Amino acid sequence: MAPTPPARGRTRVHVVSDVHGNARDLARAGDGADALICLGDLVLFLDYADHSRGIFPDLFGEENADRIVELRTARRFEEARAFGARLWGSIGTGRAAAIESAVRKQYAELFAAFPTPTYATYGNVDVPPLWPEYAARGTTVLDGQRVEIGGRTFGFVGGGLRTPMHTPYEISDEEYAAKIEAVGEVDVLCTHIPPEVPELVYDTVARRFERGSRALLDAIRRTRPRYSLFGHVHQPLARRMRIGATECVNVGHFASTGRPWALEW
């Protein structure tokens, strides 16, 4: 579905992140914009606000979802892994096959909701090898790459850094830094995770620091993009702050708000 054309003479881009299964609002996210940018985390594995939603409760029920959230929130990761392993062992088809089947079902609905054009990168809970099967002609997937939109250069770096959560697309600090370096100087730097700044990486509801990138922070200070846009932290202590010449913006937890963040020039 093509977005509603914006006013002539201006460029307007809508940005979303952490979609986590919200296909209904995603289908309208490009209305009034020249393009939609998606910063990843399309998949909904487990909704920490509503434990009845996601792949995990679909397979194992809400009571078991309550328990895994309780363990993870308490940072009892070894117990959480052992508890999860027992549950996954009960799946006849095996863990990998069950997850892939559920992810494919979500991707079919979510990619179909993307307007044309959409520029997207991966989140830490996404499964990059599956994206080429679902990204239609109007969706451009970028990771460690650049694209021009309305005369401005946008750089994209997807994925997250390694954590005890072991989500699907976590990579080493070195690999992440190499992608940041490959993007180089841009007007708008688009990533899934934020720069490593305490106010930007602390989640006030989960009550923990998520992993941000030091390499991203260094690149912001060195290359001075107009904007650094990201998601990942659902309820950050600070949604935006300035680092030197750069406006850093957490574009929001789209799964819960259903509203894109708008950039116009």
Side-chain angles (χ1 to χ4, degrees):
M1 183 173 92
T4 303
R8 294 183 63 183
R10 304 285 293 175
T11 297
R12 183 180 176 92
V13 172
H14 288 176
V15 190
V16 301
S17 186
D18 300 270
V19 175
H20 294 301
N22 188 351
R24 181 192 61 187
D25 291 323
L26 187 62
R28 300 190 293 265
D31 288 355
D34 290 280
L36 178 71
I37 289 175
C38 179
L39 303 183
D41 272 10
L42 297 180
V43 171
L44 178 60
F45 189 78
L46 175 57
D47 189 335
Y48 276 58
D50 180 354
H51 302 169
S52 68
R53 299 181 63 244
I55 293 171
F56 191 92
D58 285 349
L59 291 171
F60 303 117
E62 189 173 351
E63 185 175 338
N64 285 322
D66 290 340
R67 179 58 177 162
I68 202 81
V69 170
E70 178 187 1
L71 291 172
R72 288 178 174 177
T73 302
R75 304 188 68 81
R76 294 156 61 184
F77 295 117
E78 291 299 327
E79 291 180 63
R81 274 195 288 274
F83 178 69
R86 290 194 297 272
L87 294 175
W88 288 110
S90 68
I91 298 290
T93 59
R95 175 174 180 162
I99 291 177
E100 181 173 327
S101 176
V103 169
R104 285 182 176 278
K105 182 178 179 181
Q106 290 189 15
Y107 276 169
E109 182 178 15
L110 290 160
F111 276 91
F114 276 145
T116 297
T118 291
Y119 302 91
T121 196
Y122 316 112
N124 60 292
V125 303
D126 285 313
V127 184
L130 297 182
W131 280 38
E133 297 183 39
Y134 296 94
R137 183 173 298 176
T139 299
T140 302
V141 179
L142 302 128
D143 189 17
Q145 297 160 292
R146 302 146 55 104
V147 70
E148 185 176 304
I149 305 172
R152 287 189 177 178
T153 305
F154 288 69
F156 291 78
V157 175
L161 298 175
R162 288 175 182 157
T163 72
M165 304 289 278
H166 297 291
T167 51
Y169 191 42
E170 294 181 354
I171 60 177
S172 70
D173 289 60
E174 294 75 18
E175 185 178 351
Y176 195 89
K179 291 196 294 184
I180 292 287
E181 185 68 24
V183 165
E185 294 187 15
V186 295
D187 296 306
V188 184
L189 188 49
C190 300
T191 59
H192 178 67
I193 63 174
E196 182 59 57
V197 177
E199 296 89 340
L200 298 176
V201 300
Y202 185 73
D203 191 303
T204 60
V205 174
R207 293 178 295 177
R208 66 170 180 257
F209 289 96
E210 302 289 354
R211 283 214 66 190
S213 169
R214 181 72 193 190
L216 173 58
L217 177 59
D218 291 343
I220 289 169
R221 288 171 170 163
R222 185 178 68 255
T223 66
R224 299 164 59 88
R226 294 172 185 259
Y227 291 93
S228 167
L229 307 180
F230 49 85
H232 187 57
V233 182
H234 293 175
Q235 296 89 198
L237 188 62
R239 291 208 171 271
R240 61 192 302 162
M241 66 185 298
R242 184 167 288 277
I243 298 175
T246 302
E247 188 73 16
C248 299
V249 183
N250 184 317
V251 300
H253 182 204
F254 186 77
S256 63
T257 68
R259 296 189 302 272
W261 184 81
L263 178 63
E264 188 171 355
W265 66 95

